[in-house]
Amino acid sequence: MKMQGEAHHAEAAIARALDAADRVNASINAVLWLDREAKAGVGPLGGVPVLVKDCIDWRGQLTTHGSAVYRDAAPAAGDAEVVRRLRDTGATLIGKSHLSEFCFGATGENATFGNCRNPWDTARITGGSSSGSAAAVGAGIVPAAIGTDTGGSVRVPAALCGVVGLRPTLGRVSNHDVLDVSTICDVVGPFGATVADAARLYAAIAGYDARDPLSFADAAPLLEGMDGGVKGLRVGLPRAFFFEDLQDCVGQAVDDAAAVLERLGCTLVDVPLGEAETLRTGGAFRFVLADVADARRDVYPEHADRIGAEVRRRIELGHQVSGADYAHCIRLLQQFQRTLRDTFAAGVDVLLTPTTPVTAPLWSEASDMVATTRLVARNTYDLGAAGVPSLSVPCGFDRRNLPIGMQLTAPWRAEALLFRVAHAFETATEHHRARSPINRI
């Protein structure tokens, strides 16, 4: 049972979140629905206000998946496993967050609910598809939120909105009653204002679920040694592909971040990951297009007129992928996974790359969602498809004061190592303390 003071503190945190949403959401469109009757729970996350991406079922509430197709659907009959776990740890679910239609797009565009806007500059994209969760944390509405990631849908908006975002190992967090995009890539992941915020949310939602065929049981501690420091760790820098064609400010910020880790005791090593470029130039993204086309058979072509034009175009592209094309994509992916295994087996503990090659583009420069998605998700897609855990952490700003994110990637099931490295970096820097202009209102 909560003591009186603890209960008061929790209720005050919920009230602040609801008030913040009322003040700033009209400017950024991050929240689709608020539960104004939300009450503090009991547990490790007691009273922590959390937003949930609106592709995740919440008992008694409509799950729109960001589409007009589902606006008149029946409310969810039960909670997704991640929602159940959040409730069990005491988190307070205060509402549903904005998303790209069918979780398909890395800009934050949505033809039905309007575009989500970046809290650092509302004329710019948030990234997506977990646009609202990232923007809400970046705007200070909530300290933590839940999103999903297929090819970068947590990490890209985390970087562009200046927050922390984790893509866990495939199977670490249950996808039960979560919209599927590509079942061999989809994961549920947390956002946080700080590394600790994201880590606490991750610990709450991770675990085995027999209803998810890709879920696995693992006895390893989820957050062991977060304060253990990084002395002696080997940090791999895959300069080819991941560090090419960057905005100068992005490359400099990530190089500076690498220097911080080196001062903390890490050894920096250059590593070749040439298969990443082969995977991209070989058109490996086509298998996700095909997966989406298959997953949306329930609505396309029957309800094609209710699907946004850009998303409909990508579904149609998926129907053009042949079986031979699909098999070729999977073969390229397996080659990349083998290279990653060999790299980690050779003694590299984590990889460090920019999360995105650019800071947030203007909406006026992002009219072609496919082209913009390929740009901002260039460094996230291959690693996501490989199933390894990756964490985006703020590491600097450009001259317009737009945030820059660095991406840390570890071996499969090594999320605790990611949080350990990120926490050490965050403790040694001040980037996470900056507030977006919306967060100052």
Side-chain angles (χ1 to χ4, degrees):
M1 179 179 292
K2 286 182 178 290
M3 300 296 289
Q4 184 175 2
E6 293 176 327
H8 176 75
H9 177 76
E11 296 298 340
I14 296 165
R16 285 194 301 271
L18 294 173
D19 177 68
D22 288 337
R23 284 186 289 106
V24 307
N25 194 54
S27 298
I28 59 173
N29 194 30
V31 183
L32 297 182
W33 172 78
L34 282 173
D35 180 4
R36 298 190 179 278
E37 304 301 319
K39 301 297 181 184
V42 177
L45 295 181
V48 176
V50 175
L51 280 168
V52 175
K53 185 177 181 180
D54 196 21
C55 62
I56 300 172
D57 280 358
W58 170 335
R59 183 180 62 255
Q61 301 300 329
L62 178 65
T63 307
T64 70
H65 306 302
S67 178
V69 174
Y70 293 104
R71 291 188 83 163
D72 301 320
D79 285 336
E81 176 65 9
V82 290
V83 169
R84 185 193 68 77
R85 287 175 178 266
L86 287 169
R87 294 191 197 279
D88 285 352
T89 56
T92 300
L93 309 184
I94 68 162
K96 292 286 197 85
S97 58
H98 183 284
L99 69 165
S100 302
E101 187 173 14
F102 300 141
C103 303
F104 204 25
T107 63
E109 175 182 339
N110 190 295
T112 298
F113 295 99
N115 297 344
C116 193
R117 295 178 288 276
N118 197 304
W120 293 85
D121 180 349
T122 56
R124 296 179 182 272
I125 72 170
T126 54
S129 63
S130 305
S131 42
S133 292
V137 175
I141 295 174
V142 288
I146 295 293
T148 62
D149 188 304
T150 300
S153 291
V154 166
R155 293 160 291 157
V156 169
L160 300 186
C161 292
V163 301
V164 178
L166 172 72
R167 176 198 165 87
T169 302
L170 180 66
R172 177 71 91 175
V173 179
S174 173
N175 281 328
H176 179 68
D177 283 342
V178 179
L179 182 75
D180 59 318
V181 177
S182 172
T183 55
I184 62 173
C185 295
D186 296 343
V187 297
V188 176
F191 292 92
T194 66
V195 172
D197 290 333
R200 291 177 67 199
L201 206 60
Y202 163 70
I205 63 176
Y208 176 69
D209 179 9
R211 296 169 297 179
D212 180 349
L214 296 181
S215 184
F216 59 84
D218 191 344
L222 296 174
L223 298 178
E224 186 178 49
M226 199 161 118
D227 295 318
V230 295
K231 187 174 182 179
L233 294 180
R234 289 168 58 84
V235 177
L237 301 172
R239 295 286 181 184
F241 183 74
F242 289 97
F243 281 80
E244 295 174 351
D245 300 320
L246 306 175
Q247 282 183 345
D248 290 343
C249 59
V250 173
Q252 187 61 58
V254 178
D255 284 342
D256 290 346
V260 170
L261 293 175
E262 188 173 37
R263 288 196 298 272
L264 293 173
C266 292
T267 298
L268 306 182
V269 294
D270 288 335
V271 296
L273 288 179
E275 284 80 2
E277 186 167 6
T278 302
L279 188 61
R280 179 53 56 91
T281 58
F285 183 68
R286 286 176 296 177
F287 86 83
V288 174
L289 292 173
D291 283 350
V292 172
D294 176 62
R296 301 284 76 79
R297 288 178 187 270
D298 61 330
V299 297
Y300 182 91
E302 182 179 355
H303 301 292
D305 59 326
R306 302 183 70 188
I307 300 172
E310 281 287 342
V311 174
R312 188 169 63 247
R313 176 163 75 103
R314 300 179 85 186
I315 292 174
E316 290 164 354
L317 288 173
H319 282 286
Q320 299 171 20
V321 178
S322 70
D325 289 339
Y326 196 98
H328 180 65
C329 293
I330 297 301
R331 185 172 294 110
L332 292 176
L333 175 58
Q334 290 169 338
Q335 291 170 356
F336 182 56
Q337 289 172 321
R338 183 171 61 246
T339 298
L340 285 174
R341 282 195 296 270
D342 292 346
T343 300
F344 290 128
V348 171
D349 294 294
V350 296
L351 300 172
L352 172 62
T353 69
T355 307
T356 60
V358 298
T359 53
L362 291 163
W363 272 112
S364 60
E365 300 169 347
S367 57
D368 186 333
M369 185 175 70
V370 173
T372 306
T373 294
R374 285 176 175 163
L375 170 65
V376 297
R378 190 194 75 182
N379 280 3
T380 59
Y381 172 74
D382 295 347
L383 295 167
V388 289
S390 294
L391 182 69
S392 184
V393 183
C395 69
F397 298 88
D398 71 4
R399 61 182 178 83
R400 300 181 184 86
N401 203 35
L402 297 173
I404 297 167
M406 68 178 191
Q407 180 177 226
L408 295 164
T409 300
W412 292 264
R413 308 189 184 194
E415 287 85 354
L417 177 60
L418 288 180
F419 284 122
R420 177 179 156 198
V421 176
H423 181 64
F425 174 80
E426 187 181 78
T427 301
T429 58
E430 298 291 324
H431 308 301
H432 63 290
R433 299 187 186 279
R435 288 189 173 188
S436 65
I438 288 290
N439 197 4
R440 301 178 198 136
I441 294 177

